Amino acid sequence: MSEIEDEEYLDSFLTKRQIEVLQMRLAGMSQQEIAEKLGTTRSNISILEKRAYQNIARAERTLQQWLMLRAPISLQAKAGMDVFELPREIFAAADEKHMRLPITSLDIVVQLRRKAPRLFRKRALSRDAMIFVTEEGEVLVEGMEEK
């Protein structure tokens, strides 16, 4: 492995070995097959894979937090608010900032329902939530991502 490749692994949330294991798993190999190929135990491969996915989840949460910090639109949605009121609130916040969002009301509702399904009880919010919208129209909901 070259020095540049070594440096790339240092900048990652994944170790070289975790990447190697994930590549083989994605290619369809079982944990036992990988263990035999790498000269280790299936248990060790299982731990490597589990920690890799934990690291990936941590990286995804970090990116989500960064997007929220940079989102020009943020609003506190109160429990009991009708889901169809949220687009109006979001577009009003965009108007205040002289922004034109590249999404429709339906896009907002669909994104909210997809990203935070447990936030809703029928058409109403079941609890308070912070909602963020990026310039690109991505809707983010703080603390409501799927596990």
Side-chain angles (χ1 to χ4, degrees):
M1 178 175 293
S2 74
E3 191 174 313
I4 292 172
E5 288 174 321
D6 281 339
E7 287 176 19
E8 287 176 4
Y9 285 114
L10 293 175
D11 288 340
S12 174
F13 279 101
L14 299 175
T15 66
K16 176 183 170 188
R17 189 68 143 191
Q18 288 171 338
I19 291 170
E20 193 175 10
V21 167
L22 290 177
Q23 286 173 330
M24 287 187 261
R25 290 289 281 156
L26 291 171
M29 293 178 71
S30 70
Q31 288 179 343
Q32 186 61 46
E33 290 169 330
I34 296 168
E36 290 168 8
K37 183 174 182 174
L38 298 179
T40 188
T41 65
R42 190 212 55 80
S43 178
N44 187 38
I45 297 303
S46 178
I47 290 167
L48 279 167
E49 186 176 6
K50 178 181 177 183
R51 289 188 181 149
Y53 283 118
Q54 289 171 338
N55 290 344
I56 291 166
R58 190 176 71 213
E60 287 173 338
R61 285 190 304 274
T62 301
L63 181 56
Q64 174 98 350
Q65 290 166 340
W66 174 241
L67 289 172
M68 287 177 185
L69 286 170
R70 294 185 56 226
I73 296 171
S74 64
L75 59 99
Q76 174 75 35
K78 297 289 184 186
M81 181 183 243
D82 188 301
V83 68
F84 293 107
E85 289 178 36
L86 289 168
R88 183 181 55 77
E89 296 282 331
I90 290 168
F91 286 123
D95 288 345
E96 286 178 19
K97 296 188 181 243
H98 306 289
M99 289 178 55
R100 178 167 163 67
L101 294 173
I103 54 177
T104 66
S105 294
L106 182 59
D107 294 329
I108 293 169
V109 172
V110 168
Q111 284 190 62
L112 286 168
R113 290 274 191 185
R114 189 185 74 226
K115 292 181 179 180
R118 290 174 286 196
L119 178 60
F120 301 96
R121 204 167 269 123
K122 296 189 179 178
R123 282 181 41 171
L125 273 77
S126 59
R127 59 187 171 273
D128 292 353
M130 284 298 299
I131 298 176
F132 302 85
V133 184
T134 67
E135 290 181 25
E136 296 79 24
E138 182 176 358
V139 178
L140 307 165
V141 183
E142 187 173 50
M144 301 299 165
E145 64 274 353
E146 285 295 329
K147 298 280 183 199

